[in-house]
Amino acid sequence: MLKDYYKILELPPNAGLVDIKKSFRKLAMRYHPDKHGEDEVAGAQFMEVQEAYDTLTDPEKKEIYLQQRWYEQSMGRKLSGSMPLTSVSILQDVIRLNKYISGLDVFRIDNEGLLHYQLQLLSRDAIAILKSEEQVDIIKEIVRLSIDNCKSFHLNQATRLAIKLQELIKTGSDEEKQLEAFIAKRSQDEFWQKWKIPVFIIVTMLLCYLIYKSAN
């Protein structure tokens, strides 16, 4: 579940940079380890505040976070603190995304935002959990659904997703074949998009020439 960095910083979602910095200074002083010694709760809260601040003050991190936040809220999920990752919880997130995507107009999907969200679901920690728990059937379903979620991707986006999914699959497996077919389809689609207009023009000119020759 995605963290609500604005809530962590005790701010509304429309808070600006000045307010974010001001709130961070206040909360950092409240929870700083120098004031609480070995208090683990305060230490954890300080780390949460620091993480929220680092994300919301970095333009690139903030943009990715806001895209992820939008997907979470669009699917009716509440933002919260961290939840323990398990193979089952990761699969549930991917299934939830699949249901949400199935109800969208494929031509209006924010593919870059969707990619960032997918990569977040397949974070380094998530990959480590999936590998350590070795739930083969769950991994197969995650790969299948992740590919299905991203049928509207361009080749570059599909390749970036494939690199992440390759960390989960074994050489020669059915999942590897699915992934290869996914990339091949995106490559073919991109090639056709690039050349369909020139091909149409050439074919039209050829037909016009044949009509002219037959008339004479």
Side-chain angles (χ1 to χ4, degrees), residues 69-80:
R69 181 185 174 93
W70 181 83
Y71 270 107
E72 291 281 339
Q73 293 176 327
S74 296
M75 290 185 288
R77 298 186 64 186
K78 294 182 178 180
L79 305 179
S80 184

Side-chain angles (χ1 to χ4, degrees), residues 56-74:
L56 296 180
T57 56
D58 182 301
E60 184 175 350
K61 289 181 181 179
K62 182 178 180 181
E63 181 180 359
I64 294 172
Y65 170 72
L66 291 178
Q67 290 172 338
Q68 294 166 354
R69 181 185 174 93
W70 181 83
Y71 270 107
E72 291 281 339
Q73 293 176 327
S74 296

Side-chain angles (χ1 to χ4, degrees), residues 12-213:
N14 62 346
L17 184 59
V18 173
D19 291 329
I20 290 171
K21 291 182 176 181
K22 182 178 178 180
S23 182
F24 169 72
R25 286 193 294 268
K26 179 186 71 176
L27 295 172
M29 289 181 63
R30 181 189 302 171
Y31 298 121
H32 200 282
D34 289 346
K35 293 185 63 177
H36 297 276
E38 297 182 358
D39 185 336
E40 294 183 0
V41 174
Q45 289 173 317
F46 178 80
M47 291 178 65
E48 292 277 276
V49 168
Q50 183 70 61
E51 180 183 323
Y53 175 78
D54 290 343
T55 299
L56 296 180
T57 56
D58 182 301
E60 184 175 350
K61 289 181 181 179
K62 182 178 180 181
E63 181 180 359
I64 294 172
Y65 170 72
L66 291 178
Q67 290 172 338
Q68 294 166 354
R69 181 185 174 93
W70 181 83
Y71 270 107
E72 291 281 339
Q73 293 176 327
S74 296
M75 290 185 288
R77 298 186 64 186
K78 294 182 178 180
L79 305 179
S80 184
S82 301
M83 286 183 62
L85 279 177
T86 65
S87 295
V88 172
S89 69
I90 297 166
L91 175 60
Q92 288 173 338
D93 283 339
V94 176
I95 291 173
R96 191 176 291 107
L97 177 61
N98 184 260
K99 290 180 179 178
Y100 173 69
I101 293 296
S102 66
L104 295 180
D105 180 350
V106 69
F107 297 106
R108 302 183 66 179
I109 292 177
D110 174 9
N111 284 325
E112 198 62 28
L114 175 58
L115 173 63
H116 284 306
Y117 190 82
Q118 282 273 71
L119 295 180
Q120 176 68 20
L121 293 181
L122 300 170
S123 65
R124 181 166 51 187
D125 290 342
I127 294 293
I129 290 293
L130 290 167
K131 285 184 173 180
S132 66
E133 295 186 358
E134 297 183 333
Q135 299 285 336
V136 178
D137 290 338
I138 288 179
I139 290 175
K140 287 183 177 180
E141 188 66 2
I142 287 173
V143 172
R144 185 187 71 80
L145 289 173
S146 295
I147 292 174
D148 187 61
N149 288 343
C150 303
K151 291 182 290 187
S152 62
F153 275 11
H154 300 301
L155 178 60
N156 176 267
Q157 294 160 337
T159 301
R160 288 155 66 190
L161 175 66
I163 290 172
K164 179 62 68 172
L165 289 174
Q166 282 172 342
E167 298 180 35
L168 288 175
I169 62 180
K170 296 180 179 180
T171 303
S173 64
D174 290 339
E175 293 74 53
E176 184 179 53
K177 295 175 183 177
Q178 290 177 26
L179 201 55
E180 290 173 350
F182 173 57
I183 295 298
K185 181 65 167 59
R186 298 280 71 76
S187 180
Q188 292 171 2
D189 289 347
E190 194 151 305
F191 177 85
W192 174 241
Q193 288 295 325
K194 180 179 180 180
W195 291 103
K196 67 179 181 181
I197 293 179
V199 169
F200 175 77
I201 293 173
I202 292 171
V203 170
T204 301
M205 292 176 65
L206 181 59
L207 287 174
C208 291
Y209 174 75
L210 292 175
I211 293 172
Y212 172 78
K213 292 292 290 183

